[in-house]
């Protein structure tokens, strides 16, 4: 069997790629990690055919809550652990006499975390860990720490809903077919009940798979519904990029989508086209194809980062369509014409996320939100605002809260210390937000 080109290095075979990084064939075998549901994450020893290499376990959750990461790469010059802030983000790993690189960090609290290795300057996944995540073009290995929070992200022994991959026409965006993910709760297929609908939007660089792959939305819904903490509901996870038919691991990314520092200028100009498509294309399709309760009192919308900004635009231009509104770390400076440069904050080095040196102009922001005033209080059953206090968007978030106060809008606030602009916070926020809906 011939070696196939490895995607991260065009024209270089998989074996050549890892040899270039100094890793042995045993170190990079892709035999899956042995895992038991609800049990601490355990690595797998190599099978008998690899007995010449030392057995390696990675990642390993220790009894005191710390986590050890390992990689067999005897010829590597340097190996570092990168990933979520709570793992240390950029930790040097040390090599033992057998060529096993390791680092121990923590204790790590219950939850899911993303990480990767940097071997001789090249980013790679943990070859011993079967759990990986994809956020747009960003791939990581996943550490799963059991406990009260992490267990809500797991597949547990509860009734399960179904995630449908649905193609639908989008004439307002001049796209013949677009893909979205639709979660229906347990019992939907065999029942006759109608359900409220929650439209859940992703962030910049993401796509319709983001909340399923990274956000663990189906597992969170299954577990909260089974515990009686959330109402059964349909959840629609769309692609919020105006020029994409589907995720970029299914169809090529359209040109002029992203620049070196995020969404391109061309993309920013079109960022408000998707919210209009949501009203004109998506909602009518969903109400026709599924057993929905098709009125504003039974329709919610929320989104993270870019999707949070799109959520506010959709809601406060169409309060006749939504009664439940939430934004998670909304990327408000992305909205056309509203960004205002500011000096670099004194604590900029500890902030994590975009637009650290941008805030928003209140007047230009409100010009985009004609229904954002006190009269909305009689129409909204919930306005939910959330952010991690270490988010780069924290300055813009403060201005947004001032706008809401000045406009006389009531809202519920969820702010989490230590968290930045990251999926760990958005999973936590979804877990907090969903039980509030449709009560």
């Amino acid at each position: 069997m011939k070696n196939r080109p490895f995607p991260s290095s065009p024209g270089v075979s998989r074996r050549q790629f890892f040899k270039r990084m100094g890793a042995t064939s045993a170190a990079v075998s892709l035999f899956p990690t042995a895992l038991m549901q609800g049990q601490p994450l355990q690595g797998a020893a190599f099978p008998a055919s690899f007995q010449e290499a030392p057995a390696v376990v990675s990642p390993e959750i220790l009894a005191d809550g710390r986590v050890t990461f390992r990689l067999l790469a005897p010829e590597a010059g340097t190996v570092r652990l990168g990933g979520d802030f709570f793992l240390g983000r950029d930790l040097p790993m040390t090599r033992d006499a057998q060529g096993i690189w390791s680092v121990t960090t923590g204790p790590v609290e219950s939850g899911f975390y993303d990480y990767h290795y940097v071997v001789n300057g090249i980013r790679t996944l943990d070859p011993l860990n079967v759990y990986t995540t994809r956020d747009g073009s960003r791939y990581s290995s996943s550490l799963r720490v059991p406990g009260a929070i992490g267990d809500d992200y797991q597949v547990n022994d509860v009734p399960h809903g179904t995630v449908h991959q649905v193609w639908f026409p989008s004439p307002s965006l001049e796209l013949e077919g677009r893909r979205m993910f639709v979660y229906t709760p347990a019992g939907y297929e065999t029942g006759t009940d109608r359900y409220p609908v929650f439209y859940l939007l992703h962030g910049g660089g993401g796509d319709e798979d983001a909340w399923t792959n990274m956000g663990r939305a189906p597992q969170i819904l299954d577990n909260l519904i089974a515990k009686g903490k959330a109402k059964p509901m349909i959840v629609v996870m769309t692609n919020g990029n105006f020029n994409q038919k589907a995720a970029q691991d299914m169809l090529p990314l359209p040109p002029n989508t992203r620049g070196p520092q995020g969404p391109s200028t061309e993309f920013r100009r079109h960022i408000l086209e998707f919210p209009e498509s949501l009203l004109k294309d998506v909602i009518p399709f969903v109400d026709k194809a599924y057993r929905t309760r098709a009125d504003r009192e039974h329709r919610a919308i929320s989104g993270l980062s870019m999707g949070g900004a799109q959520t506010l635009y959709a809601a406060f231009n169409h309060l006749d369509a939504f009664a439940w509104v939430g934004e998670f770390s909304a990327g408000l400076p992305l909205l056309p014409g509203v960004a205002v440069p500011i000096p670099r904050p004194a604590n900029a080095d500890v902030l994590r996320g975009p637009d650290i040196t941008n805030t928003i102009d209140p007047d230009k922001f409100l010009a985009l939100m004609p229904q954002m005033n006190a009269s909305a209080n009689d129409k909204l059953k919930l306005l939910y605002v959330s952010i991690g206090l270490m988010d780069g968007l924290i300055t813009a978030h403060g201005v947004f809260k001032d706008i809401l106060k000045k406009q006389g809008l009531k809202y519920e606030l969820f702010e989490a210390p230590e968290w930045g602009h990251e999926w760990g916070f958005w999973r936590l926020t979804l877990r907090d937000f969903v039980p509030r809906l449709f009560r």
Side-chain angles (χ1 to χ4, degrees):
M1 179 176 176
K2 295 181 179 179
N3 288 322
R4 290 176 290 179
F6 191 65
S8 297
S9 297
V12 179
S13 72
R14 186 180 297 269
R15 185 181 300 276
Q16 290 169 332
F17 175 81
F18 285 110
K19 185 176 181 181
R20 189 174 292 178
M21 292 198 305
T24 68
S25 59
V28 300
S29 68
L30 300 180
F31 287 95
T33 303
L35 295 157
M36 293 294 291
Q37 176 61 48
Q39 299 299 316
L41 188 63
Q42 300 290 332
F46 290 111
S49 61
F50 287 87
Q51 289 299 317
E52 69 274 11
V56 181
V57 175
S58 181
E60 180 182 12
I61 300 175
L62 307 177
D64 60 2
R66 294 181 302 154
V67 181
T68 297
F69 300 86
R70 298 183 180 91
L71 177 70
L72 178 61
E75 297 182 18
T78 61
V79 181
R80 305 185 72 87
L81 174 71
D84 284 343
F85 171 79
F86 295 97
L87 301 180
R89 299 195 74 181
D90 184 26
L91 300 178
M93 300 174 70
T94 57
R95 178 177 178 255
D96 67 11
Q98 294 179 299
I100 300 173
W101 296 80
S102 65
V103 65
T104 299
T105 186
V108 180
E109 296 182 357
S110 170
F112 282 20
Y113 304 87
D114 297 318
Y115 73 96
H116 58 271
Y117 297 135
V118 180
V119 182
N120 292 348
I122 300 175
R123 174 171 169 156
T124 187
L125 301 177
D126 184 343
L128 287 175
N129 187 354
V130 70
Y131 290 138
T132 61
T133 59
R134 183 190 69 85
D135 184 18
S137 60
R138 302 175 288 257
Y139 288 80
S140 298
S141 295
S142 178
L143 167 68
R144 303 181 172 192
V145 181
I149 295 175
D151 287 352
D152 278 344
Y153 306 157
Q154 298 275 20
V155 176
N156 294 314
D157 190 14
V158 299
H160 299 299
T162 302
V163 178
H164 312 259
Q165 296 187 30
V166 182
W167 291 86
F168 68 101
S170 185
S172 69
L173 295 178
E174 298 181 353
L175 295 173
E176 181 63 28
R178 305 191 80 210
R179 189 177 72 159
M180 61 183 170
F181 285 17
V182 179
Y183 167 91
T184 52
Y188 178 88
E189 287 83 1
T190 57
T192 59
D193 291 345
R194 292 188 171 273
Y195 295 88
V197 186
F198 173 26
Y199 290 86
L200 182 58
L201 313 185
H202 62 80
D207 50 56
E208 72 275 14
D209 182 36
W211 271 108
T212 297
N213 190 306
M214 295 287 294
R216 306 296 292 178
Q219 289 74 30
I220 292 171
L221 267 294
D222 282 350
N223 290 318
L224 292 181
I225 291 171
K227 293 175 182 179
K229 293 182 177 181
K231 294 285 188 180
M233 66 186 77
I234 296 169
V235 182
V236 178
M237 295 163 279
T238 57
N239 190 315
N241 302 299
F242 77 98
N243 57 353
Q244 286 187 27
K245 293 183 177 181
Q248 59 186 284
D249 66 335
M250 172 166 284
L251 293 173
L253 191 67
N256 302 320
T257 298
R258 294 186 66 77
Q261 302 300 323
S264 65
T265 302
E266 176 71 12
F267 186 86
R268 289 171 186 258
R269 280 202 296 265
H270 294 276
I271 196 171
L272 299 182
E273 292 184 20
F274 169 73
E276 292 300 324
S277 171
L278 181 70
L279 273 296
K280 296 175 182 177
D281 302 330
V282 179
I283 291 176
F285 179 90
V286 170
D287 284 341
K288 184 177 180 179
Y290 293 88
R291 297 195 311 274
T292 69
R293 301 186 71 175
D295 56 71
R296 64 179 304 276
E297 286 76 16
H298 295 95
R299 191 178 296 129
I301 184 171
S302 188
L304 70 91
S305 194
M306 177 186 79
Q310 292 174 321
T311 288
L312 294 174
Y313 182 81
F316 287 101
N317 281 272
H318 301 281
L319 285 178
D320 58 328
F322 305 101
W324 311 79
V325 179
E327 62 91 354
F328 310 162
S329 319
L332 303 181
L334 278 174
L335 294 169
V338 308
V340 177
I342 57 173
R344 185 175 173 84
N347 66 337
D349 290 343
V350 301
L351 299 179
R352 305 188 299 280
D355 287 305
I356 292 175
T357 57
N358 279 316
T359 185
I360 59 173
D361 181 297
D363 294 333
K364 292 180 179 178
F365 175 78
L366 283 172
L368 295 174
M369 312 284 171
Q371 298 174 23
M372 188 173 281
N373 53 58
S375 66
N377 292 326
D378 295 331
K379 299 179 180 179
L380 289 175
K381 294 184 177 296
L382 174 65
L383 174 59
Y384 180 94
V385 175
S386 71
I387 199 168
L389 295 180
M390 293 293 102
D391 196 310
L393 288 160
I394 193 66
T395 303
H397 171 76
V399 174
F400 178 53
K401 289 195 296 183
D402 290 342
I403 291 171
L404 294 178
K405 181 178 180 180
K406 181 180 178 181
Q407 296 298 105
L409 274 127
K410 300 175 182 178
Y411 64 95
E412 295 186 23
L413 181 66
F414 179 69
E415 294 179 335
E418 300 187 24
W419 286 102
H421 202 76
E422 51 215 358
W423 272 104
F425 173 71
W426 300 320
R427 285 188 288 265
L428 193 67
T429 306
L430 184 67
R431 183 174 175 265
D432 181 72
F433 180 69
V434 165
R436 303 169 188 261
L437 297 178
F438 310 122
R439 297 293 183 178

